[in-house]
Amino acid sequence: MSGKKDRDKESCTALELIDFKNALEQFQNLVEKMIIQKTKESSDSYIKDDEEIDYEKFHTTIRTLFGPAVKDQNVQAFFRKVMSNPDEKPEWLEIFGCFTGESDGMSSPSKESTVLLVSEKRQITHSVVKRKDVIKGIVKVPLLHFTITASQRGVLTMFSKKMKVLATIDVEDPTWINGCDFLPNLKYVVAVTESTVILWDYQSKESQSDGFVIKPMKNCLLCVCTVTMADNLAKDTILMGDDKGYVYLLTITNDDFIMKQSRAEKESQFKVLDSESFDIPKRKLHDDWVGKIRYFSALKCFGSCSTDSINSFILDDIKRLEDHLPVKEFSVPKGVNAFTYCGKAKVIVTGGNDRILRLWNPVVNFSPVGKLFGHKHSVVEIVTNEKDQHVISLSCAKVFRVWDIQTLSPLQVFYESNGTPEEMNAFPMVFDNDHGMLFTGSDVIDIYPLANVIQDLKELPQTHEKSLNVVLYNRAFHQILSICTESILKVWDVETGSQIYQIEDAHGLNTEVTCAAIEINGVYLATGACDGTVKIWEFESGQEVKALPLAQHSNDEHRVLKIVYLKADEDQHAVIVLEQRGKIKIIQGDSAQTDLYVTWVLSEIVPFPRRNPVVYLALKPSSLETQDFFPEIRLLCNTSSMRNDTETFLSSVDIKCFDVLKVEGCRLIATGSANGEINLWDFESASVKCLGKTTEDNQGSGVNAILFLIHSVSSSSKRSAMSPTPSVRSDASAISEQGSSLDLHEEVWWFDGFGSIQNKFLFSFRILITVSLRDPQKPENAESDEINTEIKTAEETPSRKNSQNPEMSVQLLKAKAGQSPILASAHESSCIRLWSIQGNLMKELLPFSEHPSGPLTALCTDIFTKILLAGSKKGYIIRWNMASFLEDPRNKKNEIREELCWRAHATEVVELFIEEEKNVIVTASIDGSVRLWHAMTGYYFGYFGQARKFELSDTSRLILPSDVSNFPAIIKEESKHMEKKVKYPLMLDRDKWKSLTRLPSDLEKAGHGEAAHGFKYFKALASEKFQTLETFEFVSKEAGAIFGFLPIYELENPIEVSMPKSLQRIKAEKSSHKGREKDPDSIEELSQDK
């Protein structure tokens, strides 16, 4: 019976295995489809269809395949990893929360409590050592991002920033190497052996020597370091210690490599420099071996240590090696094996055979300021983590301890398994403060990363679980608001990144909050939702104040796309919103009303004439009494009959964005559409203009963001589109006073604009429809004209011509607002266009970067409008400096300079802003993360929602988010391709011409195909190619140090000069003639001249 049960269990297990294999195969096919889909999206060749895989479809499929065995957080992390980096396909185990190798998953909470992640250790197993060999020295070169290692048996290796071997050499020296360092000025690697000093030229070619060797040295050299001083770029100074307690000071210049060479009897790997020709001061500072020597540029002192109990540690100026004045000595029982200096804490840390770490004030040498106990074996190496003020010590038993200098407390202990006897005698260690990593050496290089660095490198930044819709900055409270598609509202502190509070389901269950706005004083917040509802909140407390009730027939057409605050106080709230169908509304609420209500509506579609895309409006000034911001309007033409006339009128599509400018003497609303159409509503001139011309191909011309720019010289003249101005109130009151005698039921309409007669002559007109009303342009004592309809041309009314002249309007605007406004629009074609309010295209900006930035999706400026920032669909951030341009846009010398470009996200940027006081930029993306960057360099500080706090003052450590691989690129003027210097004359390169493909027609102007064909010819031009002659170095040095090194050019086939036969016969006859004996060489020269 039991056997039958076992057979049934085995058969069930086999069936389950088959089902799992089938599910796993379907899962892998699903991942392949996702990768193909993302790849096509990146190349802009993807067309959406019903088979598109989004997160909901992916989650449902995973649940169907694997059931409850998969957790939602693992499904979400796997999906985000594939979509953010499709080039690196994750392992299928990660969908179950299992990570192999270097874990790319979410760090566990326990990792945050550690300092160095031992589990994330990385080993470099290149052949940097020989058999039974160990690494004796590791050096980091910060400016060049090099890592240099020296093995005991003579292998010198240089690594790049990514730990790839750049150069290596096997030194042919019978003695062992004891240490190494880098000469920053001469660009050499210095290493010391028992009797020589090696200077390795890592940039040397095969035909040249590998460097120089200084020998012989009298004593056995044990350690070496470089004196880092920037006062002289033509020399380097080296400090060395030997086995007799001496410290040497050696200065090397470029001239020494030529003037102090000794003649070698045979060719060797290195050119020999005679040590006797150098002036090498030395001084006996210790009574035992000099174990280590270092130079501290912050103290302008060198330090050397020994196991001597009296002169254990020396700290003084390098001048003491020459003048023999008393030096500063530190005495430690059983001596000092290692020491380091922490610049932030301003302490020296020493360790030795007594297993105690001592902290010293560099000025006080008779007593330490603190002691650290814990090691059970001799301390052999100490390094410092400057940023975190940590000390990392290593004992001879391979036990690592991490200490906090400020609290004198241990933070972490870990150890390495015992290796071979050779490995146990090698203890090199260095800390990379730029990248937050600890390097140790044995027969391999071990790299231990910091926990917070791994968190940034491995974790996917996540502020919200869903895509972001809104990110706003409250300048009054220095707080950030973020809202996701799940309608979770979160408020963060911008300086620390900590969360203050959050609100869930702000507009009700399953109602998506789509947009928000903060009034200029930061007290109130307005939000809009997908069902058309609008709510007002107190920002500090998160309490709801007023709401616009849900419409009776609410649908997707009422979805609020954008909201802008116009006015906010205890008595009145006013916002202007853009709906999905294109309508722009003003929504208000006062103390007498409990709910918000609509007071003003702007027409959503305007048909524009193709020849003159300007439509004139009929204004109703009396409507300002009810809503105080923009007057009611009416189009002069019948638009219903013109919408289908595509030959005469431009077609209009859905509005995607808008912006409002309301300052003294200027009331403007700008809208951008998916087909590239930009409408500018000017309520001062009573007209609406179409700025952007629509094309048949609308994919590359769509407007994604729009923004008014006003240059302000001082902080007092900030751009304010939020708060009402007194001018609007005064205009409304003036009109009401003039028309006070009218009947309350009568309507007053002004018609202003510009027209044309047979498209040749411009005229201005003003139509007044009323029973009796005084013209506002006339003085109060002037007689009023009682008319029903009156049209006066410019010839008849010269005064009104001046009032309606665009140039006069601009001058008036400059006088009132300081500068003429400029409209910036971001397009699908990756460009930014700058427009004047008269409708003229002033500038077109294209991002200059190594990789295409993609369509631009977001725009913002600083409060002084000196910096313009743009975010793209591919996650790039571009920064322009436009201060000089806005001061005088007509001056062609005032250019807009692109300063910085970097990739902040792997997906589309939805919002960004700059905080001038802390000099940071905040970006938000559909990946659900809000990230913080340095405004000038693009340095990554972190993301909102991370465990650790931001450190805005420290930009020394270069880290990137896990889904970004490229560091920010600072754009210099000389690096741009249009200013690249070329050598003339240029010739057509046939091979390059064939390799070039025809450029796609991605611009909107007609006839771009011919232009692209012309550019193809210019791109195929190249400098003339010359065949270089072979050169070789002149071996003999008898000609001197200069002429002996001049190159000699050798022709491959030398031309043989032969004498013609006729001349040879003449020569023979003359030589045989008696009495005329000539020198045959003269005849030969004569024949050559002929």
Side-chain angles (χ1 to χ4, degrees):
M1 192 73 180
S2 61
K4 183 178 180 181
K5 288 183 178 180
D6 293 338
R7 286 194 299 271
D8 293 341
K9 190 180 293 184
E10 289 177 2
S11 62
C12 291
T13 304
L15 289 173
E16 291 176 358
L17 184 61
I18 294 174
D19 292 340
F20 179 75
K21 287 183 178 179
N22 293 333
L24 185 60
E25 185 176 353
Q26 295 179 34
F27 168 72
Q28 291 175 341
N29 293 334
L30 178 66
V31 175
E32 291 291 340
K33 291 181 180 179
M34 291 171 58
I35 294 175
I36 294 173
Q37 172 185 317
K38 185 61 180 177
T39 304
K40 290 183 177 180
E41 288 179 359
S42 302
S43 60
D44 297 331
S45 62
Y46 178 71
I47 302 176
K48 292 186 177 182
D49 53 15
D50 296 336
E51 297 183 358
E52 180 185 5
I53 303 174
D54 55 5
Y55 176 73
E56 299 297 335
K57 188 173 183 179
F58 179 76
H59 182 271
T60 305
T61 307
I62 295 300
R63 283 294 181 198
T64 306
L65 292 176
F66 301 114
V70 178
K71 296 181 180 179
D72 288 342
Q73 60 183 11
N74 295 329
V75 175
Q76 186 179 17
F78 191 93
F79 180 81
R80 291 182 63 192
K81 185 173 183 180
V82 173
M83 300 307 286
S84 62
N85 193 1
D87 296 332
E88 296 184 7
K89 181 179 177 182
E91 297 290 336
W92 63 268
L93 286 171
E94 296 184 20
I95 199 70
F96 298 96
C98 303
F99 301 94
T100 58
E102 292 187 2
S103 174
D104 291 338
M106 304 289 285
S107 298
S108 62
S110 61
K111 289 184 180 180
E112 278 299 319
S113 61
T114 61
V115 180
L116 294 168
L117 291 184
V118 182
S119 60
E120 298 289 343
K121 180 182 72 172
R122 178 187 172 196
Q123 282 193 343
I124 307 298
T125 57
H126 297 291
S127 56
V128 295
V129 296
K130 300 178 181 180
R131 186 180 178 184
K132 294 184 179 182
D133 192 7
V134 291
I135 297 173
K136 290 290 289 185
I138 300 179
V139 177
K140 295 293 295 185
V141 185
L143 295 179
L144 300 176
H145 301 290
F146 290 161
T147 303
I148 302 170
T149 63
S151 75
Q152 193 175 52
R153 295 181 181 269
V155 179
L156 297 176
T157 309
M158 176 169 286
F159 295 89
S160 66
K161 180 172 62 177
K162 296 183 178 180
M163 295 305 294
K164 294 182 179 179
V165 176
L166 296 177
T168 185
I169 186 175
D170 186 1
V171 179
E172 299 173 358
D173 197 292
T175 56
W176 286 357
I177 291 181
N178 293 322
C180 66
D181 208 337
F182 184 75
L183 304 182
N185 297 328
L186 301 179
K187 298 296 185 297
Y188 276 78
V189 175
V190 57
V192 294
T193 67
E194 295 179 1
S195 59
T196 61
V197 178
I198 299 171
L199 301 172
W200 173 40
D201 183 7
Y202 62 93
Q203 297 176 329
S204 63
K205 299 180 181 179
E206 294 182 359
S207 59
Q208 301 174 352
S209 64
D210 295 319
F212 303 89
V213 57
I214 302 174
K215 63 179 183 180
M217 303 299 291
K218 294 182 179 180
N219 299 329
C220 177
L221 300 179
L222 300 177
C223 53
V224 64
C225 78
T226 303
V227 178
T228 54
M229 293 187 298
D231 57 345
N232 195 330
L233 300 179
K235 67 177 182 180
D236 274 306
T237 303
I238 302 171
L239 293 171
M240 299 173 290
D242 66 6
D243 58 346
K244 302 296 183 181
Y246 285 93
V247 174
Y248 298 81
L249 180 65
L250 172 61
T251 300
I252 303 176
T253 65
N254 277 318
D255 295 336
D256 294 335
F257 297 146
I258 301 175
M259 305 302 296
K260 297 182 180 181
Q261 286 190 37
S262 60
R263 296 187 180 183
E265 298 180 357
K266 59 179 181 178
E267 282 193 24
S268 61
Q269 187 180 20
F270 297 100
K271 296 179 180 179
V272 179
L273 302 179
D274 188 4
S275 61
E276 297 295 335
S277 61
F278 287 90
D279 181 17
I280 307 178
K282 67 176 182 178
R283 181 175 179 179
K284 186 176 178 62
L285 297 176
H286 305 278
D287 294 332
D288 207 338
W289 292 5
V290 180
K292 284 183 175 56
I293 189 166
R294 289 177 183 172
Y295 183 81
F296 304 117
S297 56
L299 300 175
K300 297 182 179 180
C301 295
F302 78 95
S304 62
C305 66
S306 173
T307 55
D308 180 10
S309 298
I310 299 175
N311 302 323
S312 307
F313 176 63
I314 303 296
L315 182 67
D316 218 316
D317 196 297
I318 58 174
K319 296 179 181 178
R320 302 290 84 80
L321 299 177
E322 299 179 274
D323 56 22
H324 294 278
L325 293 176
V327 295
K328 190 181 299 180
E329 301 172 347
F330 297 75
S331 299
V332 176
K334 299 184 180 180
V336 174
N337 293 330
F339 61 93
T340 187
Y341 174 69
C342 181
K344 279 189 175 182
K346 293 182 173 56
V347 294
I348 295 283
V349 184
T350 62
N353 295 329
D354 63 350
R355 301 166 292 179
I356 301 174
L357 296 182
R358 290 174 172 82
L359 280 67
W360 305 82
N361 188 321
V363 181
V364 181
N365 62 342
F366 54 83
S367 177
V369 296
K371 295 182 180 180
L372 300 175
F373 300 89
H375 279 290
K376 297 181 179 180
H377 299 83
S378 299
V379 178
V380 293
E381 187 60 278
I382 308 173
V383 294
T384 306
N385 177 359
E386 282 284 347
K387 180 178 181 180
D388 302 321
Q389 298 188 44
H390 294 165
V391 167
I392 305 168
S393 57
L394 172 65
S395 71
C396 61
K398 290 286 185 177
V399 177
F400 296 82
R401 289 183 178 269
V402 184
W403 314 80
D404 189 336
I405 297 178
Q406 297 297 328
T407 61
L408 302 182
S409 59
L411 300 176
Q412 185 183 5
V413 180
F414 62 96
Y415 64 93
E416 281 294 324
S417 58
N418 293 333
T420 62
E422 292 84 1
E423 295 178 23
M424 294 301 295
N425 293 326
F427 309 103
M429 185 168 65
V430 66
F431 190 83
D432 184 1
N433 283 284
D434 291 337
H435 303 90
M437 295 182 181
L438 177 68
F439 288 72
T440 64
S442 55
D443 60 339
V444 295
I445 301 174
D446 294 327
I447 305 175
Y448 299 91
L450 289 176
N452 54 9
V453 174
I454 282 296
Q455 179 190 6
D456 294 323
L457 294 177
K458 296 297 181 181
E459 281 188 2
L460 284 171
Q462 188 177 35
T463 307
H464 290 259
E465 293 184 359
K466 299 294 182 178
S467 300
L468 282 162
N469 284 340
V470 178
V471 167
L472 296 173
Y473 181 50
N474 191 328
R475 296 184 181 274
F477 295 140
H478 301 287
Q479 294 173 0
I480 291 175
L481 168 73
S482 61
I483 305 175
C484 67
T485 56
E486 208 172 19
S487 297
I488 297 177
L489 184 151
K490 295 183 180 182
V491 177
W492 312 84
D493 183 79
V494 70
E495 188 169 2
T496 62
S498 58
Q499 182 176 333
I500 299 173
Y501 69 85
Q502 77 175 36
I503 301 174
E504 297 182 3
D505 299 324
H507 281 247
L509 190 63
N510 298 326
T511 302
E512 180 185 354
V513 180
T514 55
C515 58
I518 300 174
E519 58 97 8
I520 194 169
N521 296 319
V523 180
Y524 295 101
L525 164 71
T527 58
C530 61
D531 57 358
T533 58
V534 176
K535 289 188 178 183
I536 305 295
W537 311 76
E538 283 188 1
F539 187 89
E540 189 173 10
S541 63
Q543 298 296 318
E544 182 179 332
V545 178
K546 290 181 181 295
L548 178 70
L550 183 65
Q552 206 169 27
H553 303 286
S554 180
N555 50 32
D556 288 341
E557 291 185 353
H558 293 280
R559 180 187 181 95
V560 183
L561 297 181
K562 187 175 180 180
I563 185 169
V564 175
Y565 236 115
L566 294 175
K567 184 178 181 181
D569 54 36
E570 295 180 357
D571 298 329
Q572 186 183 18
H573 291 272
V575 295
I576 182 169
V577 301
L578 170 65
E579 293 184 347
Q580 178 79 43
R581 57 183 177 177
K583 278 195 174 182
I584 296 177
K585 300 179 179 179
I586 290 182
I587 300 173
Q588 290 188 240
D590 51 35
S591 57
Q593 300 286 336
T594 57
D595 296 328
L596 300 173
Y597 51 91
V598 179
T599 61
W600 183 80
V601 179
L602 185 66
S603 177
E604 68 271 23
I605 297 178
V606 179
F608 291 96
R610 287 188 177 272
R611 294 184 178 180
N612 186 22
V614 179
V615 173
Y616 305 102
L617 310 174
L619 304 183
K620 185 180 179 182
S622 61
S623 62
L624 289 173
E625 298 178 2
T626 59
Q627 53 87 20
D628 196 28
F629 301 102
F630 297 100
E632 292 184 10
I633 65 168
R634 188 176 67 197
L635 300 180
L636 293 180
C637 52
N638 184 11
T639 60
S640 60
S641 61
M642 301 177 182
R643 293 180 182 178
N644 298 326
D645 189 1
T646 58
E647 295 182 0
T648 309
F649 291 88
L650 298 174
S651 60
S652 181
V653 295
D654 295 337
I655 298 174
K656 298 179 64 177
C657 55
F658 86 108
D659 196 20
V660 181
L661 179 64
K662 190 168 174 293
V663 295
E664 186 179 355
C666 184
R667 285 180 292 179
L668 302 172
I669 295 179
T671 62
S673 304
N675 64 346
E677 180 182 297
I678 300 175
N679 297 342
L680 182 62
W681 300 80
D682 190 347
F683 294 94
E684 295 295 326
S685 63
S687 64
V688 55
K689 306 181 184 69
C690 181
L691 305 187
K693 296 181 180 180
T694 58
T695 60
E696 295 181 0
D697 184 12
N698 297 327
Q699 294 181 356
S701 60
V703 182
N704 294 327
I706 205 163
L707 185 66
F708 280 109
L709 306 176
I710 295 183
H711 179 68
S712 58
V713 180
S714 62
S715 60
S716 62
S717 56
K718 298 177 184 177
R719 184 181 74 91
S720 175
M722 319 298 181
S723 58
T725 55
S727 61
V728 179
R729 175 77 67 177
S730 62
D731 292 343
S733 61
I735 295 174
S736 62
E737 290 174 5
Q738 293 170 2
S740 59
S741 61
L742 297 176
D743 187 15
L744 294 176
H745 298 285
E746 293 177 350
E747 291 188 355
V748 181
W749 294 86
W750 286 103
F751 297 83
D752 292 330
F754 296 91
S756 62
I757 302 177
Q758 297 179 355
N759 297 325
K760 292 184 179 180
F761 302 101
L762 293 175
F763 67 95
S764 62
F765 60 87
R766 169 163 288 192
I767 303 176
L768 178 64
I769 302 178
T770 183
V771 177
S772 177
L773 183 65
R774 181 179 295 112
D775 192 338
Q777 298 290 334
K778 295 182 179 181
E780 293 183 359
N781 57 2
E783 296 180 358
S784 62
D785 298 329
E786 296 182 1
I787 55 175
N788 291 327
T789 303
E790 181 182 359
I791 302 178
K792 294 186 177 182
T793 62
E795 289 80 1
E796 296 173 340
T797 57
S799 62
R800 287 180 183 173
K801 175 183 176 181
N802 294 336
S803 65
Q804 297 297 324
N805 192 346
E807 295 181 1
M808 296 295 293
S809 301
V810 173
Q811 293 175 2
L812 177 63
L813 184 62
K814 286 185 177 181
K816 291 184 177 181
Q819 288 288 341
S820 176
I822 292 176
L823 183 65
S825 57
H827 295 260
E828 282 283 328
S829 57
S830 304
C831 71
I832 292 179
R833 292 172 182 162
L834 302 180
W835 310 82
S836 66
I837 60 174
Q838 289 76 36
N840 300 321
L841 180 61
M842 304 175 65
K843 201 83 171 177
E844 187 174 68
L845 305 177
L846 286 171
F848 176 77
S849 59
E850 183 180 357
H851 305 283
S853 61
L856 302 181
T857 56
L859 287 175
C860 82
T861 64
D862 60 333
I863 58 175
F864 305 111
T865 323
K866 294 181 178 180
I867 302 298
L868 178 64
L869 292 171
S872 75
K873 200 169 185 178
K874 293 185 178 180
Y876 285 90
I877 305 296
I878 306 100
R879 170 192 168 111
W880 285 277
N881 187 327
M882 54 190 313
S884 61
F885 174 79
L886 290 180
E887 288 177 0
D888 188 7
R890 297 182 180 180
N891 190 348
K892 294 183 179 181
K893 295 182 179 180
N894 296 338
E895 293 291 333
I896 298 177
R897 294 182 292 105
E898 183 178 347
E899 296 180 330
L900 193 64
C901 178
W902 79 95
R903 192 166 195 178
H905 300 265
T907 53
E908 178 182 343
V909 176
V910 295
E911 289 284 354
L912 75 163
F913 65 84
I914 181 171
E915 210 286 337
E916 298 82 6
E917 183 179 346
K918 296 176 176 58
N919 201 22
V920 295
I921 294 174
V922 177
T923 62
S925 171
I926 60 175
D927 61 9
S929 66
V930 181
R931 306 180 185 183
L932 193 67
W933 311 82
H934 192 271
M936 300 302 296
T937 61
Y939 172 89
Y940 177 61
F941 289 113
Y943 65 94
F944 290 90
Q946 67 184 19
R948 60 186 178 88
K949 293 183 179 180
F950 296 142
E951 296 181 6
L952 303 183
S953 60
D954 191 357
T955 58
S956 60
R957 189 163 294 162
L958 299 176
I959 54 177
L960 288 174
S962 60
D963 54 353
V964 177
S965 57
N966 296 326
F967 285 95
I970 298 177
I971 308 299
K972 297 181 179 179
E973 289 297 319
E974 57 268 18
S975 66
K976 294 189 176 182
H977 57 85
M978 66 283 294
E979 298 181 6
K980 183 178 179 181
K981 295 182 180 180
V982 294
K983 295 181 179 180
Y984 294 95
L986 298 178
M987 301 184 67
L988 180 63
D989 191 339
R990 297 287 181 182
D991 297 333
K992 197 172 182 181
W993 168 270
K994 294 178 181 179
S995 63
L996 289 173
T997 57
R998 190 174 180 86
L999 297 175
S1001 178
D1002 54 353
L1003 298 179
E1004 302 171 22
K1005 297 182 181 179
H1008 177 62
E1010 292 79 10
H1013 187 74
F1015 283 129
K1016 176 182 175 183
Y1017 171 79
F1018 288 105
K1019 287 185 177 181
L1021 295 177
S1023 302
E1024 187 178 1
K1025 296 180 180 179
F1026 297 96
Q1027 185 176 1
T1028 58
L1029 298 174
E1030 294 185 1
T1031 64
F1032 64 94
E1033 187 177 334
F1034 190 55
V1035 179
S1036 176
K1037 302 297 185 298
E1038 296 177 357
I1042 298 177
F1043 296 100
F1045 282 88
L1046 292 178
I1048 296 177
Y1049 297 92
E1050 183 179 31
L1051 298 175
E1052 296 180 356
N1053 298 317
I1055 301 174
E1056 296 182 0
V1057 180
S1058 59
M1059 183 183 297
K1061 294 182 178 179
S1062 59
L1063 292 178
Q1064 291 179 2
R1065 187 172 55 255
I1066 295 173
K1067 177 183 178 181
E1069 292 176 356
K1070 289 185 177 182
S1071 60
S1072 61
H1073 191 273
K1074 295 180 180 181
R1076 286 188 174 184
E1077 293 181 356
K1078 295 284 187 180
D1079 187 2
D1081 294 336
S1082 62
I1083 299 176
E1084 193 171 350
E1085 291 174 1
L1086 178 62
S1087 63
Q1088 290 180 2
D1089 293 337
K1090 289 183 179 181

